[in-house]
């Protein structure tokens, strides 16, 4: 802990920020749900309705189609609970649970609240996560899942429904008002929409792009264009959550 200029007590912690699809879980939850359709195939009318940058609206049509097939919420849940976690992520989340005095953890994802909550609960790791920032989803009286866009924003780099940089900035500001400041932030992701928040990180923070995925390529290209900058966060590629766990253990004193 430290005191700021106003002599207010500040709790210093480490923040771990996760993307969800192809990061915590080893697939895309939005496409995994197609497995609950008997032939596991969408009709062309739905499949071809996607417009770039409007994935959430597209998923609303997907879930409406699933509802039209009389597929119950319980059936959807049973399918979603089979999505595999990425190697080492359960161990990483378990470590976070056991060190909550020192580590806060949030998820910022373009999936939805229903899918993420189901998947965390079935794995028994929901206690690791302080907050989930994603598109709100609920089931209506018919048993159809409805999905809303998370927010609106002015960022031209991000999908219209979610700027992860804005979410992270708002979260950090809110925490600071509540007396929590983060000595370092670990950002773990894989996709193009993880570049914007990665670029908001400070010197001393770490961005973890999954090896072989879009974020790693974008960061590598960006680094080549900009050259080495002293204020840049450290970049550590990963293939398993165990590699991230090693980094996290190195800066957090395990309890007991």
């Amino acid at each position: 802990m430290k005191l700021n200029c106003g002599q207010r007590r500040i709790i210093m912690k480490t923040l771990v920020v996760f993307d969800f699809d192809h990061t915590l879980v080893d697939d895309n939850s939005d496409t995994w749900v197609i497995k609950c359709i008997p032939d596991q195939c969408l009709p062309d009318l739905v499949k071809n309705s996607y417009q770039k940058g409007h994935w959430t609206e597209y998923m609303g049509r997907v879930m409406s189609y699933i509802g039209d097939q009389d597929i119950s919420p319980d059936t959807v849940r049973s399918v979603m609970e089979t999505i595999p976690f990425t190697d080492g992520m359960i161990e990483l989340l378990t470590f976070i649970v056991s060190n909550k005095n020192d580590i806060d953890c949030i998820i910022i994802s373009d999936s939805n609240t229903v899918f993420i909550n189901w998947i965390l609960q079935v794995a028994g790791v929901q206690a690791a996560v302080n907050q989930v920032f994603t598109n709100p989803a609920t089931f209506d009286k018919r048993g159809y899942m409805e999905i809303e866009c998370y927010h609106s924003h002015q960022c031209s780099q991000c999908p219209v429904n979610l700027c992860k940089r804005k979410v992270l900035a708002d979260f950090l500001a809110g925490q600071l008002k509540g007396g929590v400041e983060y000595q370092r932030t670990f950002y773990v992701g894989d996709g193009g929409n993880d570049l914007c928040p990665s670029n908001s990180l400070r010197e001393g923070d770490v961005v973890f792009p999954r090896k072989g995925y879009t974020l790693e390529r974008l960061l590598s290209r960006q680094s080549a264009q900009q050259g080495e900058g002293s204020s840049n966060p450290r970049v550590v590629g990963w293939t398993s959550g165990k590699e991230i766990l090693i980094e996290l253990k190195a800066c957090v004193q395990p309890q007991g």
Side-chain angles (χ1 to χ4, degrees), residues 86-247:
T86 304
D87 179 64
M89 286 300 177
I90 294 294
E91 292 91 333
L92 176 54
L93 290 169
T94 300
F95 177 81
I96 292 172
V97 170
S98 64
N99 289 274
K100 292 303 289 180
N101 285 344
D102 299 308
I103 306 170
D104 282 347
C105 170
I106 64 173
I107 292 171
I108 310 177
S109 168
D110 206 2
S111 182
N112 65 75
T113 53
V114 168
F115 288 174
I116 292 177
N117 289 337
W118 280 346
I119 294 164
L120 293 177
Q121 286 170 13
V122 75
V125 291
Q126 65 270 37
V129 182
N130 296 73
Q131 286 184 255
V132 176
F133 300 94
T134 188
N135 303 298
T138 56
F139 284 95
D140 65 18
K141 294 179 180 178
R142 302 171 299 163
Y144 285 49
M145 197 173 92
E146 299 178 335
I147 310 170
E148 301 175 33
C149 292
Y150 178 74
H151 65 182
S152 59
H153 59 84
Q154 303 301 316
C155 178
S156 61
Q157 300 177 45
C158 293
V160 296
N161 63 296
L162 179 65
C163 172
K164 295 186 177 185
R165 181 180 193 143
K166 176 172 172 51
V167 173
L168 179 55
D170 288 349
F171 174 79
L172 292 173
Q175 289 293 94
L176 187 57
K177 284 183 180 179
V180 177
E181 185 177 355
Y182 296 103
Q183 292 176 301
R184 66 190 65 80
T185 296
F186 284 3
Y187 189 98
V188 188
D190 73 284
N193 64 354
D194 294 311
L195 180 64
C196 188
S198 296
N199 283 334
S200 72
L201 300 181
R202 310 156 299 178
E203 184 177 9
D205 294 339
V206 187
V207 56
F208 294 89
R210 189 172 184 181
K211 291 181 180 178
Y213 284 72
T214 302
L215 180 60
E216 182 188 42
R217 293 193 294 272
L218 292 175
L219 287 169
S220 177
R221 185 186 310 158
Q222 181 174 271
S223 177
Q225 291 172 346
Q226 296 178 350
E228 291 297 326
S230 61
S231 62
N232 290 340
R234 192 158 57 95
V235 176
V236 178
W238 64 277
T239 57
S240 166
K242 295 171 186 175
E243 296 160 274
I244 302 164
L245 179 56
I246 290 171
E247 292 281 342

Side-chain angles (χ1 to χ4, degrees), residues 33 59-68 76 115 144-145 147:
V33 74
M59 281 306 301
R61 293 188 290 275
V62 170
M63 297 312 299
S64 180
Y65 173 78
I66 287 174
D68 287 342
V76 176
F115 288 174
Y144 285 49
M145 197 173 92
I147 310 170

